[in-house]
Amino acid sequence: MASVEVSLKEIMTAVEGALGAAVVDYSSGMALGTLGGGKDLDLTVAAAGNTDVIRNKVRTMEMLGLSSRIEDILITLGSQYHLMRLVTGRSGSGLFLYLVLDKARSNLAMARHQLKRVEDQLEV
């Protein structure tokens, strides 16, 4: 099992084109940890804002009566991918991994694979 800090380091080193990563509590919108980012990418603000995306999708699925779980949500911008993966399991319920990628330098399929691997090892 890996801590939040170790998990974020793993994401940033294992995922080509990673610009920033966070572990976020979507019940409060608070980032439990961030790594990367910069003046043009405030991960704390992005994490809080994307919490609304997660909450709204969960609520919509409930209203539709869908019993399947969300694996991940992708937002594609002109030069970036924003990938959110909900953490499953008893230690990560209510959390999501948030990853921002440089679209030109990243492989989306590999990023999704790495996030799943990190999710499986995350211990909060």
Side-chain angles (χ1 to χ4, degrees), residues 51-108:
T51 294
D52 291 334
V53 173
I54 299 288
R55 287 181 191 157
N56 287 330
K57 187 59 187 172
V58 168
R59 187 172 32 252
T60 300
M61 288 180 63
E62 289 171 355
M63 291 186 324
L64 291 171
L66 300 175
S67 59
S68 187
R69 70 174 189 84
I70 298 170
E71 289 183 10
D72 53 44
I73 295 173
L74 171 66
I75 297 173
T76 305
L77 303 178
S79 63
Q80 296 176 343
Y81 292 123
H82 290 237
L83 187 58
M84 293 160 273
R85 180 169 186 88
L86 274 72
V87 177
T88 58
R90 59 187 175 95
S91 70
S93 182
L95 302 179
F96 70 94
L97 297 171
Y98 176 57
L99 175 61
V100 179
L101 299 163
D102 179 328
K103 195 173 175 182
R105 297 186 307 121
S106 63
N107 178 323
L108 188 56

Side-chain angles (χ1 to χ4, degrees), residues 1 3 9 21 27-28 87 115:
M1 295 312 222
S3 69
K9 286 179 183 175
S27 62
S28 68
V87 177
L115 275 186

